[in-house]
Amino acid sequence: MARVVTLNVGEKSVEMPVTEGTEGELGFDITKLRAETGYVTYDPALGNTGACKSAITFIDGDKGYLRHRGIPIEQLAEKSDFIEVAYLLIFGKLPTADERKKFSQRLGANAALDPAFKKVFESFPHDAAPMAALSAMINTASCFDSTVADGDDEQFAEAAARLISKTRTIGAYIYRMTNKLPYVEPDPKLPYVANFLRMMFSTPGTQYEVHKEVTDALDLIFLLHADHEQNCSTSTVRMVGSSKANLYASCAAGVCALWGPLHGGANVEVLEMLDVIHKGGMTAEQYLEQVKEKKVLLYGFGHRVYKNFDPRAKILKESSDKVLAKIGVKDPLLDIARKLEALALKDSYFVDRKLYPNVDFYSGIIMKAIGIPVNMFTVLFAIGRMPGWIAQWKEQRDENVRIARPRQIYTGPTKSDYLPVEKRK
Ligand code: CMC
C-alpha cells in the first residue's frame, strides 16, 4: 500500500503521498497542500525542499558520499576522465568506445568560435570580470545556434557538445583577452584539457609542450566539479529552464549563480584568504580567531549538505601533494592551508557546527601551481560544471515539468491608498 503522511492543520487533515528515492530518502508530496489547507510551506534557502526527483547525482552529506549515476566519485577520479564523466552525467551511462569516439569528435568539431561571435567578445573591455564575460558569451552563443530552442535528441546531443566545447574555448579566450593576447585556434587533434591549456598559454607559431602531470591535474579538477545535484547554480539552471528557456540561456544563468563567493567564487576567496594570512604575517591561529568572532569566513570550509568531509576535498588534498611534487613547486600557501585545516578540525567552533573542508579548499592551490591565474579559477569551475548543468537541464526537459514558481509569505503593508505628491511627507 502506498505510504502517506497525514498532516493536521486546524480542523483539516491532509494525506500526502510519500515519495521514496532509491537510496532511501523520503519526501512527502505537498503539491496539494495549499489547495486543501490554504497553507504553504516556509523554507527560506530551501534547505528542506526537494525541488525535483533526479537520477543523476547522489550525495549522502553525513557519510561524505558522492556518486554519479551510482558510481562513487573516488572510482571515477581514479579510473575515468572528465569527458567520460560528462557523457555519463548527460546520457546516463558510461559510453562504449564508439560512443566516446563520436562524442569526442563532436567536441572537436564544435571547438572554434565563429568570427562574428569573436567580434562581440572583442568589444568587451580587457579588464571585464571573467565570469561576467563567460556568462555573456555563453548566452550570446544561442544567437549563433538556431537549432537549440526545442531540438530533438540528436540536436540536443550536438548542442550539449557545442556548449561543453565552446565554453572551454571561451574560457581560454577570456584569459587571452584579459592579458591582451591574440586568440589561439583550437587544435581538433588534441584532447579536451590539452587543447584548453594550449589555447590559453601557447604562443602562435611555436610548439606548445604541455606536461602530462598538468593535464592530469586539470582533468581531475574538471571531473570533480562536473555535477553536485541541486546546488545554487544547478537550481538556477533548472529554474530558468523550467520556463522552457533554451540550454545556453539556462546555463548562462548558472554561470552567474556560480560566480558568488559563497558558491563557485569561493575558490578565489580561499586563495585570497591564504595570501592575506601569508603576506600579512598572520598566524593560522590568529585568522581562526577572527573567524570565530564572525569577522571573516574560513573560505573553503562548510557545506549545506556535507556534514562530514567533502569527498572531493579528500581527493584534491591527496592530489595537491602529488601535483606540487611532480611539477617541482613548493607553495607556502599549501602549508598554511594544511595548518588551518588541522587546527579547524579540532576546534569546537568548527567541530560543533560540522564544518569540514569543501572542494574549494585545495582546488585553488593546484590551479595556482599549474599556472592558472586566480581570477580564472571560477571560470574553470564553470567549465567543469557545464556537463552537470546540461544533464540536469535535459532531465528536467524530458520530464516536461511545470514552470517553477515558488510562493511567498507577504510581509509588506496591507492595502493603502495612493497619495498625490503634494500630500507626501
Ligand atoms: N566559516 C565560518 N563559519 C561558518 C562557515 C565558514 N566557512 N560556514 C558556516 N559557518 C557557520 C555559520 O555562520 C553558522 O554559524 P552559527 O550557527 O553560529 O549561526 C554555522 O556555521 C552553520 O552554517 P551552515 O548552516 O552549515 O551554513 P550554510 O548552509 O548556510 O552555508 C556555505 C553553507 C557553504 C555557504 C557556508 O559554509 C560558507 O559560507 N562557506 C564558505 C564559502 C565556501 O567555501 N563556499 C563553497 C561551498 S562548496 C562549493 C560550492 O558550492 O561552490
Side-chain angles (χ1 to χ4, degrees):
M1 211 177 78
R3 289 161 75 182
V4 291
V5 165
T6 308
L7 182 72
N8 296 316
V9 186
E11 304 281 281
K12 287 186 185 143
S13 178
V14 200
E15 292 206 329
M16 293 173 290
V18 170
T19 301
E20 182 165 359
T22 49
E23 290 283 355
E25 313 99 311
L26 299 170
F28 48 86
D29 178 346
I30 57 150
T31 46
K32 302 257 177 338
L33 180 68
R34 186 171 174 278
E36 293 189 10
T37 67
Y39 281 72
V40 294
T41 56
Y42 175 57
D43 185 20
L46 304 175
N48 291 286
T49 296
C52 62
K53 289 186 195 168
S54 179
I56 301 171
T57 290
F58 170 69
I59 299 176
D60 183 325
D62 295 320
K63 296 194 178 116
Y65 295 163
L66 167 60
R67 298 180 197 142
H68 295 317
R69 305 285 186 185
I71 307 174
I73 193 68
E74 293 79 8
Q75 287 185 31
L76 293 170
E78 189 192 333
K79 298 178 181 162
S80 186
D81 61 29
F82 174 59
I83 292 307
E84 190 175 67
V85 170
Y87 189 98
L88 171 72
L89 289 166
I90 298 170
F91 300 105
K93 67 188 236 334
L94 290 168
T96 62
D98 276 355
E99 286 163 342
R100 164 79 197 233
K101 194 168 157 207
K102 193 171 171 202
F103 189 49
S104 294
Q105 281 166 348
R106 272 193 154 135
L107 293 173
N110 281 296
L113 303 181
D114 187 287
F117 180 88
K118 273 179 22 213
K119 243 188 190 157
V120 181
F121 209 157
E122 282 153 10
S123 65
F124 283 21
H126 287 290
D127 57 357
M131 287 296 276
L134 184 66
S135 162
M137 294 320 296
I138 290 175
N139 211 0
T140 305
S142 52
C143 307
F144 291 80
D145 183 1
S146 57
T147 65
V148 74
D150 43 20
D152 58 18
D153 280 354
E154 195 51 25
Q155 282 176 335
F156 166 79
E158 186 68 12
R162 197 173 298 144
L163 191 47
I164 292 173
S165 195
K166 291 222 190 308
T167 301
R168 165 196 54 180
T169 312
I170 293 168
Y173 198 25
I174 289 172
Y175 169 80
R176 306 287 295 185
M177 294 262 294
T178 308
N179 291 283
K180 302 186 180 158
L181 294 167
Y183 172 70
V184 175
E185 287 289 348
D187 177 348
K189 293 186 297 304
L190 283 180
Y192 188 86
V193 172
N195 211 346
F196 175 64
L197 289 166
R198 183 181 157 278
M199 284 190 278
M200 268 186 101
F201 295 127
S202 70
T203 309
T206 61
Q207 187 70 19
Y208 176 70
E209 296 285 335
V210 56
H211 296 290
K212 186 169 179 323
E213 292 77 32
V214 173
T215 49
D216 285 354
L218 194 52
D219 194 282
L220 178 67
I221 286 180
F222 286 156
L223 181 154
L224 292 175
H225 286 85
D227 192 48
H228 213 231
E229 53 119 303
Q230 308 314 317
N231 55 80
C232 176
S233 56
T234 302
S235 301
T236 302
V237 170
R238 279 187 177 257
M239 170 73 86
V240 176
S242 79
S243 75
K244 307 279 181 235
N246 73 51
L247 181 63
Y248 297 105
S250 306
C251 291
V255 172
C256 294
L258 188 73
W259 189 359
L262 297 186
H263 191 9
N267 55 16
V268 172
E269 302 294 331
V270 169
L271 247 278
E272 284 174 359
M273 170 186 80
L274 297 175
D275 226 33
V276 163
I277 298 173
H278 181 54
K279 293 202 179 117
M282 199 188 281
T283 63
E285 286 85 349
Q286 284 167 333
Y287 187 82
L288 291 185
E289 278 315 307
Q290 292 191 9
V291 174
K292 292 193 275 179
E293 287 163 22
K294 302 247 184 219
K295 290 184 180 153
V296 288
L297 282 174
L298 179 56
Y299 281 100
F301 256 68
H303 199 274
R304 173 60 58 80
V305 179
Y306 292 121
K307 300 300 165 197
N308 198 325
F309 257 90
D310 176 340
R312 303 165 301 171
K314 261 193 199 163
I315 296 168
L316 282 177
K317 182 181 177 180
E318 279 171 27
S319 127
S320 61
D321 253 349
K322 287 188 203 144
V323 173
L324 266 59
K326 271 188 193 158
I327 59 179
V329 171
K330 171 104 189 75
D331 192 337
L333 300 192
L334 181 61
D335 298 334
I336 297 174
R338 288 187 180 287
K339 185 86 198 279
L340 283 172
E341 181 190 327
L343 289 169
L345 290 180
K346 55 183 193 214
D347 187 306
S348 62
Y349 175 96
F350 301 92
V351 175
D352 294 351
R353 290 171 174 79
K354 299 191 177 164
L355 302 173
Y356 289 86
N358 60 48
V359 70
D360 292 314
F361 199 65
Y362 286 106
S363 63
I365 288 175
I366 302 181
M367 287 195 271
K368 181 168 170 264
I370 62 177
I372 309 289
V374 177
N375 70 348
M376 288 293 295
F377 284 4
T378 319
V379 170
L380 268 69
F381 190 151
I383 295 172
R385 182 55 54 86
M386 191 53 75
W389 289 335
I390 294 171
Q392 302 265 353
W393 184 93
K394 178 179 190 295
E395 182 174 65
Q396 179 175 264
R397 183 204 67 170
D398 292 349
E399 281 169 16
N400 201 19
V401 297
R402 292 173 81 198
I403 187 168
R405 199 333 184 158
R407 293 276 176 172
Q408 64 168 10
I409 308 286
Y410 175 70
T411 59
T414 52
K415 183 174 179 293
S416 48
D417 288 325
Y418 178 84
L419 273 187
V421 70
E422 61 282 4
K423 292 203 174 155
R424 294 177 209 161
K425 293 203 183 109

